[in-house]
Amino acid sequence: MSRVESIDVLRGLALLGLPLTNLIYMANFTSGSVADSSDKLGASLSFAVDVLAHGRFRTIFSILFGLSLCLFYEKYGPQCISKMRNRLFVLGVFGCVHGFVLWPGDILLNYSISGLLLLYVLRLDNTTLVKLAVCAVLIPIFILMLLIYQSGGIDFAEPTQVDMAPYGFFELLEFNFYNYLGMLALLPTITLWYIFGLMVIGVLVYRAYWQGNGGLSTPFSLLVLIPLSIFGSVWARLTFTESESLIFDLFNWLFAIPCSIALVCIGLNHSEQISKRRSILSAVGRFSLSLYLLQSVIGVWLFQFAYPMWRTNFTQTDYFLLFIGLAILQLALVWWFRRNAIRGPAEIVFANCQGYLNKRES
C-alpha cells in the first residue's frame, strides 16, 4: 500500500500546482495573457513558472492516471473492465458539465476518452507501448509545428481585447459553450493523443515498478532527467520570443515529460518514507475531483463576476500570490474534511453515478 499512498501524495502535489498556470487562463481564456510588469520580481516569477511549472503538473497527473488504471486493473482483474468503463464515462459527463457550465479549459473529458483508449492497450507488450507512447506524444506536436510554420511561423491567435465588464450568468454560459466546442474540436487531432501518450507512459512506469525489477533510480532522476527538463525549457524560453509563445509551449510539453517521470519515480522509490508520514497531501490526492472543480468555481467567480478588472491588471506576482492563497485554502479544507471524516461532495456524486451504472449492468 505504500506505493499507492505515494501516488496519492504525487497526485495531491500535481493538483495543488494546477492553478499556478490555470488561473491565468481563467482570467482570459482566449489568450492566457498576463499584464506587463517592469519589476524584476514579476519577470523572474514569469520565467520560473514557464520553466518549472508550465505543463509539469498536468503531465504528472496524466502519467499517474495511466498508472492508477493499471493498479485498479491489477486489484480487480479483467472482469472489472466494465466498471472501469463506467467510471470513465461518469468522469466524461463531469467534464462536459464542467466545460460547458464552469470553465472551457476542462481536462476531465480528455482524461475520460484517453482512459477509454488506454483500456484497449493495457495488455500490449512493452515494446509496442513504447512505440505507441512516442507516436501519440510526438505526432500532435509535429502537426502543430507544421501548421505554425505554414502560417508564417507565428501563433494562430492574436491576443484579444479583454472586456472588464462582469459577465452575467447567461453570458458566461454562451462564452463557455463556444470556447468549449473549440476545445472539443482539438481532441481528435491533438490534445487527446498527447494525453493518451502520457497515460501509456504511466502504464510503462507501473510495469517497471510492479512487474519488473524496479524503475529509474533516484540519482538518475535527480542528476539527468530533471536537469534535462529544466535546461530544455530554459533554452526554449530564451529562444522563442513572445510572438512565438505557442512554439515554446510545444517544446515545453516535451521537456515536461522527463521531469514528470523523474518526480513520479522518486516518489515511488521513497514510498516507504512517504507512507510513514501520512502527509495531508495524500488526502488532497483522494479529494482531487472536488478540489479541481473548486479551483474552477473560485477562479471563475473572481475573474468573471467579483473582480473583472483583474483580467487586465493582474501581474504574474499577483497570480502567484493568489495561487498561494488558493493552495492554503484547499489544504485547510482537506484538513477539515479529514478531521470530520467527510467525503468530498464531487466524490460522493461520482460514486453514486458509477454505482447506478454498475447496478444496471449486474
Side-chain angles (χ1 to χ4, degrees):
M1 289 296 293
S2 58
R3 282 180 177 171
V4 176
E5 290 170 357
S6 66
I7 290 171
D8 285 334
V9 171
L10 291 168
R11 188 185 292 115
L13 280 171
L15 180 77
L16 290 176
L18 281 176
L20 190 56
T21 50
N22 280 355
L23 284 171
I24 296 173
Y25 288 94
M26 288 177 187
N28 186 9
F29 178 76
T30 53
S31 69
S33 58
V34 182
D36 291 333
S37 177
S38 57
D39 65 290
K40 292 183 179 180
L41 177 60
S44 300
L45 276 175
S46 179
F47 189 90
V49 168
D50 283 345
V51 170
L52 300 176
H54 196 67
R56 267 65 176 171
F57 300 111
R58 184 171 295 188
T59 302
I60 294 173
F61 226 107
S62 302
I63 293 173
L64 292 175
F65 196 99
L67 199 159
S68 298
L69 274 183
C70 291
L71 289 173
F72 194 86
Y73 184 84
E74 177 192 45
K75 183 177 181 179
Y76 296 104
Q79 66 273 15
C80 75
I81 290 293
S82 62
K83 292 183 179 180
M84 294 170 74
R85 287 199 190 103
N86 289 340
R87 187 179 183 86
L88 292 167
F89 176 76
V90 174
L91 186 67
V93 173
F94 268 70
C96 288
V97 174
H98 179 228
F100 282 121
V101 176
L102 269 179
W103 186 51
D106 167 74
I107 60 174
L108 298 179
L109 179 62
N110 195 334
Y111 279 39
S112 170
I113 300 175
S114 300
L116 289 171
L117 287 175
L118 192 66
L119 293 181
Y120 292 96
V121 302
L122 277 180
R123 287 183 259 186
L124 294 179
D125 61 273
N126 289 344
T127 302
T128 303
L129 286 181
V130 169
K131 294 176 182 177
L132 188 60
V134 171
C135 291
V137 168
L138 292 183
I139 288 177
I141 292 178
F142 174 77
I143 291 173
L144 276 176
M145 285 284 190
L146 190 63
L147 291 174
I148 291 171
Y149 283 110
Q150 282 188 339
S151 66
I154 59 174
D155 292 349
F156 302 117
E158 293 292 331
T160 56
Q161 187 69 32
V162 180
D163 186 5
M164 289 191 293
Y167 273 118
F169 177 73
F170 292 104
E171 290 175 316
L172 180 65
L173 286 181
E174 182 182 8
F175 174 84
N176 289 347
F177 179 80
Y178 288 109
N179 281 283
Y180 192 53
L181 284 182
M183 291 286 290
L184 294 181
L186 293 175
L187 275 178
T189 55
I190 297 172
T191 54
L192 170 65
W193 299 107
Y194 181 78
I195 298 297
F196 169 70
L198 296 177
M199 290 185 182
V200 173
I201 293 175
V203 175
L204 293 169
V205 172
Y206 161 81
R207 291 185 178 180
Y209 280 91
W210 272 268
Q211 298 180 352
N213 297 319
L216 300 176
S217 68
T218 297
F220 180 80
S221 298
L222 289 173
L223 300 178
V224 177
L225 292 183
I226 292 179
L228 172 66
S229 174
I230 294 174
F231 291 147
S233 292
V234 168
W235 166 80
R237 181 67 156 72
L238 296 175
T239 301
F240 300 104
T241 63
E242 204 170 301
S243 63
E244 300 170 314
S245 60
L246 183 53
I247 302 178
F248 162 72
D249 286 340
L250 296 179
F251 277 108
N252 210 30
W253 289 359
L254 281 177
F255 290 123
I257 295 174
C259 178
S260 301
I261 293 175
L263 292 175
V264 170
C265 290
I266 291 171
L268 294 176
N269 289 338
H270 299 278
S271 55
E272 294 292 338
Q273 296 91 319
I274 293 174
S275 63
K276 287 178 182 178
R277 289 176 175 78
R278 303 240 175 206
S279 169
I280 193 173
L281 289 174
S282 62
V284 172
R286 291 192 292 273
F287 290 105
S288 57
L289 185 57
S290 291
L291 294 179
Y292 175 69
L293 297 177
L294 176 67
Q295 291 172 6
S296 298
V297 170
I298 292 176
V300 169
W301 176 75
L302 285 175
F303 292 108
Q304 311 302 345
F305 293 100
Y307 305 102
M309 71 289 298
W310 284 1
R311 299 177 204 163
T312 56
N313 60 23
F314 244 44
T315 65
Q316 185 70 65
T317 306
D318 297 321
Y319 280 112
F320 186 77
L321 293 175
L322 180 59
F323 156 71
I324 294 296
L326 185 55
I328 293 172
L329 173 63
Q330 292 178 96
L331 288 171
L333 185 62
V334 168
W335 174 84
W336 185 79
F337 277 164
R338 192 169 65 167
R339 182 185 180 187
N340 293 279
I342 298 175
R343 293 181 67 188
E347 282 75 20
I348 293 174
V349 176
F350 188 94
N352 288 334
C353 292
Q354 184 186 354
Y356 172 76
L357 293 178
N358 291 341
K359 286 181 181 178
R360 287 191 61 183
E361 291 187 355
S362 60

